[in-house]
Amino acid sequence: KPFQVYKGLYFIEEDWDGSDIFRVSSCGGTVVTEKVYKIFKKAKVTNVRFTPLPEVEIDVFLDTFEKDK
């Protein structure tokens, strides 16, 4: 049986301080602006993976685990 996932990473915009690199406290993920993405792409950095926020998948089990704490 495949894992159930939530699709998309969303955060409260007021939590973002306007930085080009920031952490989303609700999931512990690091988010970058398109500006940073383009700089990395132009520099041909290969040891990092970028996933567009609407395509991020979060395991439903992890969400359930966090609620049980």
Side-chain angles (χ1 to χ4, degrees):
K1 176 179 174 181
F3 291 101
Q4 291 183 324
V5 295
Y6 294 121
K7 186 119 180 181
L9 176 62
Y10 304 93
F11 59 93
I12 299 168
E13 193 169 340
E14 290 80 28
D15 289 346
W16 177 39
D17 65 2
S19 301
D20 288 319
I21 302 173
F22 61 100
R23 303 266 305 157
V24 177
S25 59
S26 61
C27 73
T30 301
V31 176
V32 301
T33 61
E34 189 168 351
K35 175 183 172 182
V36 171
Y37 168 75
K38 287 179 179 180
I39 289 169
F40 275 58
K41 187 172 181 178
K42 184 176 182 179
K44 298 183 176 162
V45 175
T46 60
N47 64 340
V48 65
R49 180 180 61 194
F50 295 98
T51 305
L53 295 181
E55 296 177 19
V56 171
E57 293 185 349
I58 300 171
D59 190 331
V60 171
F61 175 76
L62 294 177
D63 185 47
T64 304
F65 176 76
E66 286 295 318
K67 288 179 184 174
D68 289 343
K69 281 186 170 181

